[in-house]
Amino acid sequence: MELDFVRWLTRQPAADPRVAVGIGDDAAVLQIPANRQLVVTTDMLIEGSHFELEHHTAEQIGRKALAVNLSDLAAMAAEPLAAVVSLSLPRSQANSALARGLSSGMTMLAQQFDCPVVGGDTNVAAGPLAVSVTVMGTVESDQGWLRSGAQVGDRLLVTGKLGGSLRGHHLDFTPRVAEALQLARDYQVHAALDLSDGLALDLSRMITASGVGAVVDVPRVPISPAAEQMAHESGKTPTSHALSDGEDFELLLVVAPDEAEKLLAAQPLACGLTDVGEIIAEQQMLQRDALGETAPLAAEGFEHR
Ligand SMILES: [Mg+2]
């Protein structure tokens, strides 16, 4: 079964020039283009903490395990190169249906994002299902987006719409890789991150990294229909869902004011791009209402267990 899982994962439609040595040797060998840097990110999903096998299909879990990593590559403006996957299957469910489901969810996304799986390892243990994915990408040397590049006066832009991800978006979101590569090619981005833990909490991390502050124009924050729906039941406002729900996997981008103007006029992304605030010198996070009144914005969001 172990061999089968790896074989399913590493099935590739055609020879890939980036993979000098794929599965079958002790390690994979990848070709990195000249003048590019390797970008590496990893994420582990564990049953009981990140998902439940009763509520989520193996395909959904496999897809998400790769998607969250691709979202981190997008946040760096890196182009996917390859992925490796490690599984710990629970002894009680160590059947090929589970492994096959995980693998098919993953390979569909891997093909869509041209990110071949070049290796894997499978173990069977008494514990819960754990899926660990490591994704490698490349970026033109020293051109990767960092969290630390925000400058006073810059605008804050977000892709897509925010909040209510638990309603399903967290399982079927499209990592913003293509959008990031397009923006990196055509525009100057000072800083970026992907929104995994909520706009307020992730923004606090960015301004800390950059040594600046920020004001969020709350009425401008794009609210997803799912956040509107959730607000009917949660007693919270749609806006508070949009500010602090986790797993949006949209991009938060920081750009100079004239670049923001160009971007907002051109609207180059199908998912949309919204100006939600600005970078300020005082190292604090504020929210501004429709009347222009400001109040502190708490760095609250989705804390991973
Ligand atoms: Mg991230």
Side-chain angles (χ1 to χ4, degrees), residues 137-187:
T138 67
V139 68
E140 199 181 320
S141 291
D142 303 322
Q143 297 300 305
W145 294 340
L146 307 179
R147 297 179 175 194
S148 54
Q151 296 169 27
V152 175
D154 282 351
R155 304 302 308 179
L156 294 170
L157 307 183
V158 294
T159 60
K161 294 186 169 153
L162 309 183
S165 179
L166 271 179
R167 289 238 157 174
H169 178 75
H170 73 110
L171 292 170
D172 61 17
F173 70 92
T174 302
R176 298 299 187 198
V177 172
E179 291 81 357
L181 295 178
Q182 186 184 344
L183 294 182
R185 189 187 61 220
D186 298 338
Y187 297 92

Side-chain angles (χ1 to χ4, degrees), residues 72 147 194 196:
D72 276 324
R147 297 179 175 194
D194 66 319
S196 52

Side-chain angles (χ1 to χ4, degrees), residues 12-20 114 116:
Q12 291 306 323
D16 189 321
R18 298 167 301 174
V19 183
D114 200 18

